[in-house]
Amino acid sequence: MKSYRDVFSELDSQKRAALIPFFVIGDPDFDTSLTLVKAAVDAGADVLELGIPFSDPIADGPTIQKADIRAVRSGMTVRKALDFIRQVKAYKDIPIGLLMYYNLICHYGVGNFFKDFHTAGVNSVLVADLSIDDADEVLGPAGAAGLDSVFMVTPNTASERMQRIASKTTGFIYTVSLLGVTGSREALSEAVEGLVGQLKGLTSVPVCVGFGISTPAHARAVADAGADGVIIGSKIVGMIEANLGAPAKMVAEITDFLTGVRTALAASG
Amino acid sequence: MKHRGRYGDYGGYYVPEVLIPVLEELEEAFDRFRDDEAFVTELAELSTYYAGRPTPLYHAKRFSEHVGFQVYLKREDLLHGGAHKVNNTLGQGLLAKYMGKTKLIAETGAGQHGLATAMIGALLGMETKIFMGVTDVERQSVNVHKMKLCGAEVVPVEGGTGTLKDAINDALRYWTAHVTDTFYLFGTAAGPHPYPTIVKHFQSCISAEARQQFLDQLGRLPDMVVACIGGGSNAIGAFAHFIDDQDVKLIGVEAGGEGIGTGKHAASIVAGTPGVLHGARSYLLQDSEGQVVDTESISAGLDYPGVGPEHCYLSDIGRAQYVAAEDEAVLETFGLLTRIEGILPALESAHALAYVASLKGTLDPETVVMVNLSGRGDKDVGIVEQHRPLE
């Protein structure tokens, strides 16, 4: 199974930042969602960030919240997410990070959750509502299962805390580019450059940036700021929402967009 | 964070990283000002002259006659705004002012907390935004209007079922993006640490007063204290100073809706299982997958799938007992209290009364029961009329 280390060191030698698209598993339904994720892989995704839908996603803006509701209504469950991940991995061995909320893990059972999802092919689980202060509730079982750890750093994270977060991170740091929830934005946050620079000075683990990245130019700017990866969620999920009932168009639009971002990232070397 | 905010296994602060520094700032400010002389004096003055404390402890003689034991009502319904909510909004509003924040946001279900926040926003000259589910906006239109009159902006929340849970989701999201100048005035003793501690602190005046009033008026403590529970702010305030009095039974009454068996209710402790929502571990109404389910209650103020962490803990250790009252019994008791005492209870508070009424004939006549009459029922007259039209 391909690790984050494999992917990021390979990209390091190419001097290119990773393209990391985000999808909510099962949005708008299991089959379409799988088609979209495969299309993203074909369009050049280096890592996948996948969300298991939750009824109350407080870190997410309206776009991803609606995707969560679509996915839950279409019958998505945690167990079906396991099957989804197995199918993605069978298509291509690409690192997968989960991004989700704590209640679903607690409900499934912490130990079993990490074991089952690692077996299915997941590399890390970022729990949006579990901070470093309580990370010990999951780090043991997650580590024992063989998962890497991924944590968030935000523009208001104090530097001492950043250090603590970096020291517990083995996968990559998910850098939140702005104060706020997920969602596409017109302009890229000005905080990005300073934040990435600060983190690169603190740690050798890869630093990826997400929240509000909506265009190839944003992605390029993030890469130029020194980020090792660019995470794009709401922009893609918005394309799903805009093309409900027209899956072919959905696939085409998302493929075009990701191809454009990938090209912009390649040019940043 | 300096403290963990745990009540046994419950509580904590399960929030996105971006909120951690903000909650830390809040915890620090609360620790600094809670006993600060200027703060305490200003809060005490406003509590007296603005809100109307102390509230009476009233021996409801005709209601007592009806049930066959002695019922005392702690009249929080007489406070400015018509509910206990002002205790907390005054406290947190002042805290916001002392912290140098200029804007207030709040969530609301029945509109009582929203209104109490809008009042304090007006009083302190702070820009105020109230997040309220669309369903609640519709069924509590009078409170919406009052909030607007106080100068607050009411933001209708479409997500989910358009009730309290969804309003909290959106208030948290908004706060995440506006943390620098905005204070989130949380309405109930739930949510992430330090909110359960803060809300309990500001609501504890209910039991501090009531305990002394019992000693002054009866020369003894009550045998039982009963309060309704949604998130649990009036109940924790009513319980706080009695928790160490082991002989005083504490009873929390949740919203039984159409009946626990129907699934249409909001009784988190009675019928839920532990989970994590809105930053805290608590009993939670959730499906077999861990998705939080829609709740139902005739009373918007109790329509919440989680519950304050300290109540979960008090339940587990057996110090307090939690029960549910169904809509039908609540409506019945609303009518009864109004008819024989001339007091319109809020439908929320009528849950506590309904439980007490259900004890009719089972307790010794000398038994003294306190019911926290957390709010007045003017806002609910329309709903009651829909269910029980006057002849």
mmCIF file of all heavy atoms in Angstrom, chain A residues 22-29 51-54 57 60-74 76 233-234 236-238 240-241 244:
data_model
loop_
_atom_site.group_PDB
_atom_site.id
_atom_site.type_symbol
_atom_site.label_atom_id
_atom_site.label_comp_id
_atom_site.label_asym_id
_atom_site.label_seq_id
_atom_site.Cartn_x
_atom_site.Cartn_y
_atom_site.Cartn_z
ATOM 1 N N PHE A 22 -11.058 16.599 -2.574
ATOM 2 C CA PHE A 22 -11.911 16.082 -1.499
ATOM 3 C C PHE A 22 -13.300 15.762 -2.040
ATOM 4 O O PHE A 22 -13.883 16.543 -2.799
ATOM 5 C CB PHE A 22 -12.040 17.126 -0.384
ATOM 6 C CG PHE A 22 -13.109 16.806 0.634
ATOM 7 C CD1 PHE A 22 -12.836 15.983 1.721
ATOM 8 C CD2 PHE A 22 -14.401 17.312 0.494
ATOM 9 C CE1 PHE A 22 -13.830 15.668 2.653
ATOM 10 C CE2 PHE A 22 -15.399 17.008 1.423
ATOM 11 C CZ PHE A 22 -15.103 16.176 2.502
ATOM 12 N N PHE A 23 -13.799 14.619 -1.646
ATOM 13 C CA PHE A 23 -15.174 14.233 -1.968
ATOM 14 C C PHE A 23 -15.861 13.719 -0.714
ATOM 15 O O PHE A 23 -15.217 13.132 0.147
ATOM 16 C CB PHE A 23 -15.194 13.095 -3.003
ATOM 17 C CG PHE A 23 -14.682 13.481 -4.362
ATOM 18 C CD1 PHE A 23 -13.327 13.382 -4.653
ATOM 19 C CD2 PHE A 23 -15.549 13.930 -5.346
ATOM 20 C CE1 PHE A 23 -12.847 13.736 -5.911
ATOM 21 C CE2 PHE A 23 -15.077 14.283 -6.609
ATOM 22 C CZ PHE A 23 -13.718 14.179 -6.899
ATOM 23 N N VAL A 24 -17.166 13.928 -0.647
ATOM 24 C CA VAL A 24 -17.950 13.257 0.387
ATOM 25 C C VAL A 24 -18.357 11.906 -0.186
ATOM 26 O O VAL A 24 -18.965 11.846 -1.264
ATOM 27 C CB VAL A 24 -19.202 14.072 0.764
ATOM 28 C CG1 VAL A 24 -20.082 13.285 1.726
ATOM 29 C CG2 VAL A 24 -18.801 15.417 1.376
ATOM 30 N N ILE A 25 -17.996 10.847 0.502
ATOM 31 C CA ILE A 25 -18.311 9.503 0.015
ATOM 32 C C ILE A 25 -19.829 9.337 -0.078
ATOM 33 O O ILE A 25 -20.537 9.581 0.890
ATOM 34 C CB ILE A 25 -17.723 8.429 0.959
ATOM 35 C CG1 ILE A 25 -16.198 8.549 1.007
ATOM 36 C CG2 ILE A 25 -18.138 7.035 0.516
ATOM 37 C CD1 ILE A 25 -15.537 7.616 2.023
ATOM 38 N N GLY A 26 -20.282 8.950 -1.283
ATOM 39 C CA GLY A 26 -21.717 8.724 -1.452
ATOM 40 C C GLY A 26 -22.488 9.937 -1.921
ATOM 41 O O GLY A 26 -23.718 9.911 -1.957
ATOM 42 N N ASP A 27 -21.775 11.003 -2.289
ATOM 43 C CA ASP A 27 -22.442 12.211 -2.797
ATOM 44 C C ASP A 27 -22.344 12.239 -4.307
ATOM 45 O O ASP A 27 -21.240 12.263 -4.823
ATOM 46 C CB ASP A 27 -21.774 13.452 -2.199
ATOM 47 C CG ASP A 27 -22.207 14.745 -2.897
ATOM 48 O OD1 ASP A 27 -23.389 14.818 -3.297
ATOM 49 O OD2 ASP A 27 -21.376 15.665 -3.025
ATOM 50 N N PRO A 28 -23.415 12.268 -5.049
ATOM 51 C CA PRO A 28 -24.810 12.286 -4.583
ATOM 52 C C PRO A 28 -25.347 10.881 -4.295
ATOM 53 O O PRO A 28 -26.399 10.759 -3.681
ATOM 54 C CB PRO A 28 -25.562 12.910 -5.762
ATOM 55 C CG PRO A 28 -24.760 12.514 -6.966
ATOM 56 C CD PRO A 28 -23.332 12.383 -6.520
ATOM 57 N N ASP A 29 -24.667 9.842 -4.793
ATOM 58 C CA ASP A 29 -25.031 8.463 -4.469
ATOM 59 C C ASP A 29 -23.773 7.615 -4.617
ATOM 60 O O ASP A 29 -22.759 8.083 -5.142
ATOM 61 C CB ASP A 29 -26.156 7.959 -5.384
ATOM 62 C CG ASP A 29 -25.761 8.020 -6.852
ATOM 63 O OD1 ASP A 29 -24.851 7.278 -7.255
ATOM 64 O OD2 ASP A 29 -26.343 8.843 -7.596
ATOM 65 N N GLY A 51 -14.570 12.279 2.755
ATOM 66 C CA GLY A 51 -15.358 12.518 3.960
ATOM 67 C C GLY A 51 -16.435 11.465 4.125
ATOM 68 O O GLY A 51 -17.059 11.056 3.154
ATOM 69 N N ILE A 52 -16.638 11.002 5.351
ATOM 70 C CA ILE A 52 -17.806 10.167 5.633
ATOM 71 C C ILE A 52 -18.888 11.125 6.125
ATOM 72 O O ILE A 52 -18.649 11.896 7.049
ATOM 73 C CB ILE A 52 -17.504 9.095 6.698
ATOM 74 C CG1 ILE A 52 -16.370 8.185 6.193
ATOM 75 C CG2 ILE A 52 -18.754 8.266 6.996
ATOM 76 C CD1 ILE A 52 -16.058 7.024 7.115
ATOM 77 N N PRO A 53 -20.049 11.121 5.456
ATOM 78 C CA PRO A 53 -21.041 12.160 5.760
ATOM 79 C C PRO A 53 -21.595 12.070 7.187
ATOM 80 O O PRO A 53 -21.812 10.988 7.706
ATOM 81 C CB PRO A 53 -22.154 11.888 4.744
ATOM 82 C CG PRO A 53 -21.990 10.462 4.345
ATOM 83 C CD PRO A 53 -20.517 10.180 4.431
ATOM 84 N N PHE A 54 -21.805 13.250 7.801
ATOM 85 C CA PHE A 54 -22.331 13.354 9.162
ATOM 86 C C PHE A 54 -23.463 14.372 9.180
ATOM 87 O O PHE A 54 -23.437 15.357 8.451
ATOM 88 C CB PHE A 54 -21.206 13.767 10.118
ATOM 89 C CG PHE A 54 -21.635 13.877 11.566
ATOM 90 C CD1 PHE A 54 -22.311 12.828 12.183
ATOM 91 C CD2 PHE A 54 -21.361 15.018 12.303
ATOM 92 C CE1 PHE A 54 -22.716 12.925 13.514
ATOM 93 C CE2 PHE A 54 -21.752 15.121 13.638
ATOM 94 C CZ PHE A 54 -22.427 14.070 14.241
ATOM 95 N N PRO A 57 -22.089 18.631 10.462
ATOM 96 C CA PRO A 57 -20.671 18.926 10.207
ATOM 97 C C PRO A 57 -20.301 20.376 10.508
ATOM 98 O O PRO A 57 -20.313 21.222 9.630
ATOM 99 C CB PRO A 57 -20.538 18.623 8.705
ATOM 100 C CG PRO A 57 -21.896 18.920 8.143
ATOM 101 C CD PRO A 57 -22.895 18.641 9.230
ATOM 102 N N ASP A 60 -17.748 22.541 8.492
ATOM 103 C CA ASP A 60 -17.982 22.706 7.065
ATOM 104 C C ASP A 60 -18.996 23.793 6.767
ATOM 105 O O ASP A 60 -19.942 24.005 7.518
ATOM 106 C CB ASP A 60 -18.469 21.378 6.470
ATOM 107 C CG ASP A 60 -17.340 20.379 6.362
ATOM 108 O OD1 ASP A 60 -16.387 20.671 5.623
ATOM 109 O OD2 ASP A 60 -17.391 19.335 7.033
ATOM 110 N N GLY A 61 -18.776 24.442 5.631
ATOM 111 C CA GLY A 61 -19.714 25.447 5.160
ATOM 112 C C GLY A 61 -20.899 24.787 4.484
ATOM 113 O O GLY A 61 -20.998 23.559 4.430
ATOM 114 N N PRO A 62 -21.817 25.624 3.949
ATOM 115 C CA PRO A 62 -23.072 25.110 3.384
ATOM 116 C C PRO A 62 -22.883 24.111 2.241
ATOM 117 O O PRO A 62 -23.648 23.159 2.131
ATOM 118 C CB PRO A 62 -23.798 26.373 2.900
ATOM 119 C CG PRO A 62 -22.826 27.494 3.021
ATOM 120 C CD PRO A 62 -21.764 27.093 3.975
ATOM 121 N N THR A 63 -21.857 24.289 1.404
ATOM 122 C CA THR A 63 -21.681 23.405 0.245
ATOM 123 C C THR A 63 -21.456 21.964 0.689
ATOM 124 O O THR A 63 -22.124 21.037 0.215
ATOM 125 C CB THR A 63 -20.478 23.872 -0.603
ATOM 126 O OG1 THR A 63 -20.649 25.250 -0.912
ATOM 127 C CG2 THR A 63 -20.380 23.067 -1.877
ATOM 128 N N ILE A 64 -20.527 21.772 1.609
ATOM 129 C CA ILE A 64 -20.218 20.400 2.040
ATOM 130 C C ILE A 64 -21.300 19.872 2.985
ATOM 131 O O ILE A 64 -21.609 18.679 2.977
ATOM 132 C CB ILE A 64 -18.789 20.336 2.633
ATOM 133 C CG1 ILE A 64 -17.797 20.554 1.473
ATOM 134 C CG2 ILE A 64 -18.535 19.010 3.344
ATOM 135 C CD1 ILE A 64 -16.357 20.614 1.853
ATOM 136 N N GLN A 65 -21.909 20.764 3.745
ATOM 137 C CA GLN A 65 -23.029 20.332 4.590
ATOM 138 C C GLN A 65 -24.134 19.720 3.720
ATOM 139 O O GLN A 65 -24.677 18.656 4.039
ATOM 140 C CB GLN A 65 -23.584 21.523 5.371
ATOM 141 C CG GLN A 65 -24.652 21.133 6.381
ATOM 142 C CD GLN A 65 -25.411 22.351 6.938
ATOM 143 O OE1 GLN A 65 -25.271 23.461 6.425
ATOM 144 N NE2 GLN A 65 -26.185 22.139 7.967
ATOM 145 N N LYS A 66 -24.434 20.383 2.600
ATOM 146 C CA LYS A 66 -25.482 19.851 1.721
ATOM 147 C C LYS A 66 -25.067 18.515 1.111
ATOM 148 O O LYS A 66 -25.886 17.618 0.934
ATOM 149 C CB LYS A 66 -25.807 20.865 0.617
ATOM 150 C CG LYS A 66 -26.753 21.962 1.090
ATOM 151 C CD LYS A 66 -27.219 22.823 -0.070
ATOM 152 C CE LYS A 66 -26.487 24.157 -0.044
ATOM 153 N NZ LYS A 66 -26.770 25.017 -1.192
ATOM 154 N N ALA A 67 -23.779 18.396 0.807
ATOM 155 C CA ALA A 67 -23.276 17.131 0.256
ATOM 156 C C ALA A 67 -23.438 16.013 1.281
ATOM 157 O O ALA A 67 -23.813 14.884 0.943
ATOM 158 C CB ALA A 67 -21.809 17.281 -0.145
ATOM 159 N N ASP A 68 -23.154 16.332 2.543
ATOM 160 C CA ASP A 68 -23.320 15.337 3.610
ATOM 161 C C ASP A 68 -24.770 14.868 3.671
ATOM 162 O O ASP A 68 -25.046 13.668 3.795
ATOM 163 C CB ASP A 68 -22.922 15.943 4.973
ATOM 164 C CG ASP A 68 -21.414 15.910 5.209
ATOM 165 O OD1 ASP A 68 -20.672 15.763 4.215
ATOM 166 O OD2 ASP A 68 -20.972 16.034 6.358
ATOM 167 N N ILE A 69 -25.677 15.827 3.576
ATOM 168 C CA ILE A 69 -27.096 15.473 3.658
ATOM 169 C C ILE A 69 -27.502 14.624 2.440
ATOM 170 O O ILE A 69 -28.183 13.610 2.580
ATOM 171 C CB ILE A 69 -27.965 16.750 3.774
ATOM 172 C CG1 ILE A 69 -27.697 17.404 5.136
ATOM 173 C CG2 ILE A 69 -29.446 16.432 3.622
ATOM 174 C CD1 ILE A 69 -28.255 18.793 5.291
ATOM 175 N N ARG A 70 -27.023 15.024 1.242
ATOM 176 C CA ARG A 70 -27.319 14.220 0.032
ATOM 177 C C ARG A 70 -26.836 12.787 0.209
ATOM 178 O O ARG A 70 -27.544 11.835 -0.100
ATOM 179 C CB ARG A 70 -26.607 14.822 -1.189
ATOM 180 C CG ARG A 70 -27.290 16.010 -1.831
ATOM 181 C CD ARG A 70 -26.737 16.251 -3.237
ATOM 182 N NE ARG A 70 -25.316 16.583 -3.274
ATOM 183 C CZ ARG A 70 -24.813 17.814 -3.169
ATOM 184 N NH1 ARG A 70 -25.619 18.836 -3.020
ATOM 185 N NH2 ARG A 70 -23.503 18.028 -3.223
ATOM 186 N N ALA A 71 -25.618 12.659 0.727
ATOM 187 C CA ALA A 71 -25.028 11.328 0.850
ATOM 188 C C ALA A 71 -25.774 10.476 1.878
ATOM 189 O O ALA A 71 -26.060 9.300 1.630
ATOM 190 C CB ALA A 71 -23.555 11.446 1.211
ATOM 191 N N VAL A 72 -26.093 11.079 3.018
ATOM 192 C CA VAL A 72 -26.821 10.322 4.048
ATOM 193 C C VAL A 72 -28.182 9.888 3.505
ATOM 194 O O VAL A 72 -28.600 8.739 3.659
ATOM 195 C CB VAL A 72 -26.996 11.153 5.345
ATOM 196 C CG1 VAL A 72 -27.957 10.468 6.296
ATOM 197 C CG2 VAL A 72 -25.645 11.362 6.032
ATOM 198 N N ARG A 73 -28.852 10.820 2.816
ATOM 199 C CA ARG A 73 -30.184 10.499 2.276
ATOM 200 C C ARG A 73 -30.112 9.412 1.216
ATOM 201 O O ARG A 73 -31.051 8.644 1.043
ATOM 202 C CB ARG A 73 -30.834 11.747 1.684
ATOM 203 C CG ARG A 73 -31.256 12.705 2.775
ATOM 204 C CD ARG A 73 -32.430 13.584 2.364
ATOM 205 N NE ARG A 73 -32.808 14.419 3.512
ATOM 206 C CZ ARG A 73 -32.957 15.729 3.465
ATOM 207 N NH1 ARG A 73 -32.811 16.377 2.322
ATOM 208 N NH2 ARG A 73 -33.280 16.403 4.553
ATOM 209 N N SER A 74 -28.998 9.346 0.488
ATOM 210 C CA SER A 74 -28.882 8.314 -0.550
ATOM 211 C C SER A 74 -28.523 6.960 0.065
ATOM 212 O O SER A 74 -28.324 5.982 -0.647
ATOM 213 C CB SER A 74 -27.855 8.723 -1.593
ATOM 214 O OG SER A 74 -26.552 8.425 -1.129
ATOM 215 N N MET A 76 -25.914 6.347 2.397
ATOM 216 C CA MET A 76 -24.507 6.117 2.742
ATOM 217 C C MET A 76 -24.377 5.792 4.224
ATOM 218 O O MET A 76 -24.998 6.443 5.059
ATOM 219 C CB MET A 76 -23.711 7.382 2.421
ATOM 220 C CG MET A 76 -22.240 7.125 2.313
ATOM 221 S SD MET A 76 -21.939 5.946 0.971
ATOM 222 C CE MET A 76 -20.651 5.006 1.713
ATOM 223 N N GLY A 233 -11.847 21.131 -1.892
ATOM 224 C CA GLY A 233 -13.080 20.436 -1.549
ATOM 225 C C GLY A 233 -14.332 21.095 -2.086
ATOM 226 O O GLY A 233 -14.961 20.626 -3.025
ATOM 227 N N SER A 234 -14.701 22.232 -1.493
ATOM 228 C CA SER A 234 -15.998 22.835 -1.794
ATOM 229 C C SER A 234 -16.180 23.155 -3.272
ATOM 230 O O SER A 234 -17.279 23.037 -3.812
ATOM 231 C CB SER A 234 -16.177 24.108 -0.968
ATOM 232 O OG SER A 234 -16.216 23.776 0.396
ATOM 233 N N ILE A 236 -15.123 21.523 -5.829
ATOM 234 C CA ILE A 236 -15.495 20.287 -6.526
ATOM 235 C C ILE A 236 -16.910 19.853 -6.132
ATOM 236 O O ILE A 236 -17.737 19.510 -6.982
ATOM 237 C CB ILE A 236 -14.486 19.158 -6.177
ATOM 238 C CG1 ILE A 236 -13.092 19.539 -6.675
ATOM 239 C CG2 ILE A 236 -14.945 17.824 -6.745
ATOM 240 C CD1 ILE A 236 -11.993 18.617 -6.180
ATOM 241 N N VAL A 237 -17.165 19.900 -4.830
ATOM 242 C CA VAL A 237 -18.480 19.483 -4.340
ATOM 243 C C VAL A 237 -19.573 20.388 -4.923
ATOM 244 O O VAL A 237 -20.677 19.938 -5.233
ATOM 245 C CB VAL A 237 -18.493 19.479 -2.795
ATOM 246 C CG1 VAL A 237 -19.887 19.209 -2.264
ATOM 247 C CG2 VAL A 237 -17.518 18.429 -2.257
ATOM 248 N N GLY A 238 -19.238 21.666 -5.115
ATOM 249 C CA GLY A 238 -20.165 22.597 -5.740
ATOM 250 C C GLY A 238 -20.508 22.179 -7.168
ATOM 251 O O GLY A 238 -21.633 22.385 -7.637
ATOM 252 N N ILE A 240 -20.684 19.141 -8.188
ATOM 253 C CA ILE A 240 -21.637 18.028 -8.066
ATOM 254 C C ILE A 240 -23.041 18.605 -7.883
ATOM 255 O O ILE A 240 -23.982 18.242 -8.585
ATOM 256 C CB ILE A 240 -21.260 17.114 -6.871
ATOM 257 C CG1 ILE A 240 -19.890 16.484 -7.104
ATOM 258 C CG2 ILE A 240 -22.346 16.047 -6.656
ATOM 259 C CD1 ILE A 240 -19.380 15.629 -5.955
ATOM 260 N N GLU A 241 -23.145 19.547 -6.952
ATOM 261 C CA GLU A 241 -24.442 20.159 -6.654
ATOM 262 C C GLU A 241 -25.039 20.825 -7.895
ATOM 263 O O GLU A 241 -26.240 20.734 -8.142
ATOM 264 C CB GLU A 241 -24.272 21.184 -5.528
ATOM 265 C CG GLU A 241 -25.598 21.749 -5.039
ATOM 266 C CD GLU A 241 -25.407 22.874 -4.010
ATOM 267 O OE1 GLU A 241 -24.288 23.069 -3.508
ATOM 268 O OE2 GLU A 241 -26.402 23.559 -3.718
ATOM 269 N N LEU A 244 -26.540 18.015 -10.536
ATOM 270 C CA LEU A 244 -27.312 16.865 -10.063
ATOM 271 C C LEU A 244 -28.263 16.435 -11.177
ATOM 272 O O LEU A 244 -28.893 17.264 -11.819
ATOM 273 C CB LEU A 244 -28.107 17.240 -8.806
ATOM 274 C CG LEU A 244 -27.267 17.475 -7.546
ATOM 275 C CD1 LEU A 244 -28.129 18.049 -6.428
ATOM 276 C CD2 LEU A 244 -26.582 16.204 -7.083
#
